[in-house]
Amino acid sequence: MSKVITAHAVSVDGYLSGHTPEDQAEFGRGLGDAAMLFDWYSDGDTPSTTFDGFRLSEPSARFFDALASRLGAAVAGRTTYEHSSHFSGGSPHPTAPLVVVSHHDVPEISEAQTLVTTGIADAIAAAREIAGSKDVGVMGGAVASSALAAGLVDEVVLHQVPILLGRGRPFFHELPAHVNLRLIEAVPAPGVTHLHYEVVR
C-alpha cells in the first residue's frame, strides 16, 4: 500500500514561517528571516531531477529527489492553497496531481485539481486513488496535524534549517495525543539537515 508522507522546511524551534499567527500571508511576502528556510533549494550546484530550477547541494539533491520521486499525489489545505496562488491551477509537484481539502467550496479549483469537502480522511483516500502505487504527500501544518491526529501519516520529514525564529507559524498544531516517531535517516547538508522519521503505531 502507498504511504502518506508530510514534509516541510522548518526552523530548529519548529516554525515554517516567521509570521506572527495573526498574519494571514504564509508565503511570498513578509517572510523576513524565515526566507532562510528555503535557501537550500537554490544555493547548491546540483540540479534537481524532479523540480526544474532547483539547484541543491549534492546531499540535499539526493535526499530531496528520492523523496519527491515517490509521490503520486499531493494534499493541501485551503490556507496553503490560497497562499500559494492556487498553485496556478496545477500542483506544487510537477507530476503529482493536487487534492485540496476544505470545509467549503473553492470556486477557484481547476479541472486539474480535486476538491474534497468531507474531511482529511476522504481527501487522503482520494489522493491514494490518484497516486495508485505511489505515495501521497501532505502539505501544510494544519492539514498535516489533522492527518497525524487521525493516524493517517506514515512518515514525517523535517528539512531542519539551523535558525531559531522565536515566533511565527508553527508547523505542528496541537494534537490530541502524542505521536511516537522513529528516526530512519538523518542527512546533514549545507544549510539544512534532513530528518526522516517513521510514525510508530
Side-chain angles (χ1 to χ4, degrees):
M1 180 181 285
S2 64
K3 293 187 175 180
V4 176
I5 306 163
T6 186
H8 209 287
V10 296
S11 64
V12 171
D13 49 352
Y15 293 107
L16 56 77
S17 84
H19 300 103
T20 62
E22 293 76 21
D23 190 344
Q24 295 303 302
E26 185 171 348
F27 300 113
R29 53 195 172 103
L31 281 172
D33 289 341
M36 292 178 57
L37 298 180
F38 309 100
D39 285 349
W40 60 276
Y41 289 156
S42 59
D43 62 5
D45 55 10
T46 304
S48 168
T49 58
T50 309
F51 283 76
D52 289 340
F54 282 26
R55 298 187 65 86
L56 308 100
S57 67
E58 189 281 328
S60 284
R62 182 167 19 93
F63 181 90
F64 180 82
D65 285 334
L67 187 69
S69 67
R70 292 171 51 184
L71 300 184
V75 177
R78 179 71 176 268
T79 299
T80 298
Y81 182 73
E82 295 290 348
H83 292 167
S84 301
S85 300
H86 313 145
F87 298 105
S88 300
S91 172
H93 191 285
T95 60
L98 177 66
V99 175
V100 178
V101 57
S102 173
H103 296 298
H104 307 287
D105 287 337
V106 180
E108 304 86 359
I109 205 85
S110 78
E111 292 183 0
Q113 300 166 335
T114 301
L115 175 65
V116 174
T117 59
T118 51
I120 187 63
D122 287 343
I124 288 178
R128 280 190 189 277
E129 186 172 344
I130 292 168
S133 62
K134 301 195 88 174
D135 295 333
V136 171
V138 177
M139 296 183 60
V143 170
S145 296
S146 294
L148 280 163
L152 298 171
V153 176
D154 300 297
E155 298 177 18
V156 175
V157 175
L158 301 178
H159 306 292
Q160 191 180 77
V161 176
I163 182 174
L164 296 168
L165 290 176
R167 66 175 188 170
R169 188 181 298 276
F171 179 50
F172 294 107
H173 294 213
E174 185 173 338
L175 296 169
H178 69 273
V179 176
N180 291 322
L181 304 175
R182 181 179 69 85
L183 184 65
I184 300 172
E185 186 179 18
V187 178
V192 62
T193 300
H194 307 284
L195 302 172
H196 187 181
Y197 298 94
E198 177 186 40
V199 176
V200 179
R201 295 189 174 89

